[in-house]
Amino acid sequence: MSDDAVFITVEGVEGAGKTTCLGLIEQKIRDRGRDLLVTREPGGTPLGEDLRTLLLGHRHDGMADDTELLLMFAARAEHLHAKIEPALTSGSWVLCDRFTDATYAYQGYGRGIDLQRIAALENWVQGERRPDLTILMDLPVEVGLERAGKRSAPDRFESQALAFFERVRQGYLAMAADQPQRFRVIDAAKPLADVTAQIASVIDAFFADSAS
Ligand code: TMP
């Protein structure tokens, strides 16, 4: 295993089982005795969590797509500055519940913002920082939304139409197909034991690759 700190992200449409996935990955990394920061986007810092409240709540329903995009990147800039970069620099691994792939999927494929504009912000805010591994929890959007709907009242994103989430899902799958070296796609529609086994095998393979 190399000593370089590793940045892992978990993505997927609502209700895809990110929380289960994050818990399992966290356990596997901690079992290996690695320092680990577990965090999320939008959020992860006091300012980012305040921006999350604005982005997910219904107080600003109808905010412009560009406003939404810029707030996502404002939260991300703070997160990178205050948490992610310091953690990686100190040698800690970072496990993040969503990152910039969510911006491409939701604001790009979902809202229809030009992907090149998102790429410009990505380069500006992140420099060369990109995740080393991204786990995409994939399942039909109807199944995910039904699961998510049972948890709580729908937030500003969960209130979007089915077609929006279909675009988001297809966007994620397009990115995964385009960047197979970074993405691992989990069939999250399968029973829990099967999903857990898929994730474990991806993480074990990643550890084995990192060691070689
Ligand atoms: P979640 O963390 O509970 O999945 O909720 C976060 C919501 O924010 C989810 O609907 C996806 C959305 N989101 C974006 O639209 N763009 C982004 O860049 C990020 C990080 C999240």
Side-chain angles (χ1 to χ4, degrees), residues 10-15 18-19 40-43 52 55-56 68-69 71-73 75-76 96-108 111 151 155-160 164-165 168 172:
V10 176
E11 300 279 355
V13 294
E14 345 299 284
K18 285 188 289 113
T19 308
R40 70 171 180 181
E41 291 211 347
R52 180 186 179 91
L55 281 159
L56 269 58
E68 183 179 288
L69 172 68
L71 288 177
M72 289 294 177
F73 270 106
R76 185 161 299 133
C96 194
D97 181 350
R98 298 194 187 280
F99 195 62
T100 307
D101 297 309
T103 312
Y104 281 104
Y106 285 77
Q107 282 66 53
R111 302 276 194 223
R151 291 200 294 249
D155 64 30
R156 209 170 57 82
F157 288 99
E158 289 163 348
S159 307
Q160 294 298 307
F164 173 85
F165 291 104
V168 170
Y172 271 132

Side-chain angles (χ1 to χ4, degrees), residues 163-206:
F164 173 85
F165 291 104
E166 197 51 59
R167 292 195 297 277
V168 170
R169 180 188 185 199
Q170 296 310 326
Y172 271 132
L173 289 172
M175 288 188 278
D178 218 43
Q179 301 170 65
Q181 69 293 352
R182 174 164 71 87
F183 275 90
R184 300 289 178 277
V185 182
I186 303 294
D187 181 351
K190 290 261 170 38
L192 183 61
D194 186 313
V195 172
T196 305
Q198 291 179 62
I199 297 166
S201 121
V202 160
I203 296 301
D204 289 343
F206 180 77

Side-chain angles (χ1 to χ4, degrees), residues 42-101:
T45 65
L47 174 55
E49 291 294 328
D50 282 354
L51 291 172
R52 180 186 179 91
T53 301
L54 294 177
L55 281 159
L56 269 58
H58 288 283
R59 187 160 169 226
H60 302 290
D61 276 345
M63 80 169 65
D65 292 349
D66 278 351
T67 309
E68 183 179 288
L69 172 68
L70 291 166
L71 288 177
M72 289 294 177
F73 270 106
R76 185 161 299 133
E78 185 68 11
H79 198 196
L80 283 159
H81 167 77
K83 299 289 282 289
I84 295 176
E85 292 297 348
L88 292 170
T89 302
S90 76
S92 173
W93 286 33
V94 175
L95 175 59
C96 194
D97 181 350
R98 298 194 187 280
F99 195 62
T100 307
D101 297 309

